[in-house]
């Protein structure tokens, strides 16, 4: 369950009665869209249905039966959310907007590069500034994933940007291969790997282009700076870093 501070109220008025439930705002939106795949008990603040949640008043069981055909809260809660309205305060709206704004910036930073700077990643503060210059505002009531394309359209007149992936080959020397390869191979999609006769490990990984600096930092960290990396753009064009 979540805390009361994290929950919003979903309210349904039917048959002259009011029914309220307390639920995580993002989960409520997913449930309303029939996209929720988690455990309902993890995203509610109370396994209960209220007539007035702020006072803790509960509806009569007969009213629950009349409207929902059951008195089981876990069966009723999704119905209240789907058929009702999600009530959020101004403070909750600001908090949701800030959280989704940060998530949007993170998603763009992870995936975006600057095509005019040899596909270098954009730092988060540049994305933040460009979104502000573009006048883009995150909708707290929509999933971040559904706002990325709109955000990119707003960013393109402000900064050169595109979403891309990068493929990197990394060679780890024998002294670090055993532990380092396990930490590096999970960073992205492992395209192929080879163990050399001297005990060194070579892996080729593909991951969002915005993460390349993070990958290089990790490779240096787990090999004490002894890793060799190559950005593979195509078979005839290999850039060594």
């Amino acid at each position: 369950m979540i805390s009361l501070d994290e929950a919003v109220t979903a309210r349904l008025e039917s048959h002259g009665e009011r029914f309220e439930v307390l639920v995580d705002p993002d989960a409520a939106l997913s449930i309303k869209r029939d996209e929720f795949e988690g455990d309902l008990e993890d995203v509610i603040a109370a396994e209960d249905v209220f007539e007035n949640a702020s006072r803790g008043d509960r509806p009569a069981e007969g009213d629950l039966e009349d409207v929902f055909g059951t008195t089981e809260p876990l069966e009723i809660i999704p119905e209240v959310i789907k058929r009702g309205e999600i009530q959020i305060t101004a403070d909750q709206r600001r908090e949701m907007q800030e959280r989704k704004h940060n998530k949007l910036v993170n998603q763009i930073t992870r995936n975006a590069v600057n095509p005019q700077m040899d596909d270098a990643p954009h730092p988060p503060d540049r994305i933040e500034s460009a979104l502000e210059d573009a006048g883009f505002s995150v909708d707290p009531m929509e999933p971040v994933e559904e706002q990325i394309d709109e955000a990119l359209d707003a960013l393109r007149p402000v900064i050169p940007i595109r979403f891309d992936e990068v493929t990197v080959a990394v060679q780890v020397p024998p002294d670090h291969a055993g532990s380092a390869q396990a930490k590096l191979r999970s960073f992205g999609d492992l395209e192929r790997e080879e163990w050399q006769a001297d005990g060194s490990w070579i892996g080729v990984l593909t991951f969002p282009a915005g993460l390349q600096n993070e990958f290089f930092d990790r490779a240096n960290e787990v090999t004490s700076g002894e890793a060799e990396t190559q950005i593979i753009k195509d078979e005839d064009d290999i850039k060594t870093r």
Side-chain angles (χ1 to χ4, degrees):
M1 288 194 177
I2 63 171
S3 69
L4 288 173
D5 292 338
E6 298 174 283
V8 296
T9 301
R11 177 183 301 157
L12 171 67
E13 295 188 5
S14 180
H15 294 61
E17 304 295 336
R18 183 170 66 182
F19 307 94
E20 296 183 346
V21 298
L22 300 171
V23 62
D24 173 84
D26 290 331
L29 295 173
S30 296
I31 292 169
K32 206 166 185 63
R33 295 184 175 92
D34 287 324
E35 297 173 353
F36 183 71
E37 297 179 352
D39 189 334
L40 183 63
E41 294 182 19
D42 292 337
V43 297
I44 56 176
E47 192 176 324
D48 213 337
V49 181
F50 301 93
E51 181 181 15
N52 186 309
S54 62
R55 294 201 305 260
D57 296 341
R58 292 171 174 80
E61 289 191 355
D63 293 333
L64 295 174
E65 285 282 1
D66 289 343
V67 176
F68 304 103
T70 180
T71 60
E72 290 296 325
L74 292 180
E75 295 181 24
I76 296 172
I77 290 172
E79 290 302 311
V80 172
I81 297 169
K82 291 177 183 177
R83 295 160 54 186
E85 296 181 353
I86 300 170
Q87 313 289 317
I88 60 173
T89 66
D91 286 343
Q92 287 172 327
R93 186 178 182 87
R94 280 193 296 270
E95 290 173 4
M96 290 173 64
Q97 188 164 27
E98 181 178 357
R99 186 169 68 251
K100 291 194 174 185
H101 173 82
N102 292 338
K103 184 177 179 181
L104 178 75
V105 170
N106 180 61
Q107 291 269 32
I108 294 175
T109 301
R110 287 173 58 91
N111 290 278
V113 294
N114 184 344
Q116 294 183 6
M117 293 294 290
D118 203 20
D119 290 344
H122 283 290
D125 57 349
R126 185 181 301 158
I127 300 298
E128 288 268 12
S129 178
L131 285 171
E132 183 176 351
D133 291 344
F136 183 83
S137 181
V138 175
D139 186 340
M141 302 303 290
E142 293 293 329
V144 168
E145 292 73 17
E146 295 182 8
Q147 301 184 63
I148 289 177
D149 286 345
E150 184 181 353
L152 288 175
D153 288 342
L155 287 171
R156 287 190 179 101
V158 181
I159 57 173
I161 188 171
R162 76 161 183 258
F163 268 24
D164 206 353
E165 289 186 328
V166 65
T167 299
V168 176
V170 56
Q171 181 166 350
V172 178
D175 290 346
H176 301 282
S179 59
Q181 58 88 20
K183 296 175 182 177
L184 293 175
R185 66 192 297 134
S186 62
F187 196 92
D189 293 330
L190 184 65
E191 305 290 349
R192 61 183 183 271
E193 63 177 332
E194 295 178 9
W195 286 94
Q196 304 299 295
D198 64 356
S200 60
W201 177 79
I202 297 176
V204 178
L205 300 102
T206 299
F207 47 83
L211 296 180
Q212 55 190 286
N213 286 340
E214 184 179 335
F215 177 80
F216 296 136
D217 289 342
R218 182 180 297 183
N220 284 326
E221 177 186 350
V222 299
T223 65
S224 300
E226 296 182 21
E228 296 182 14
T229 57
Q230 294 177 315
I231 298 177
I232 302 176
K233 293 193 174 180
D234 55 51
E235 292 182 359
D236 301 319
D237 184 10
I238 297 179
K239 174 184 174 184
T240 304
R241 179 186 177 99

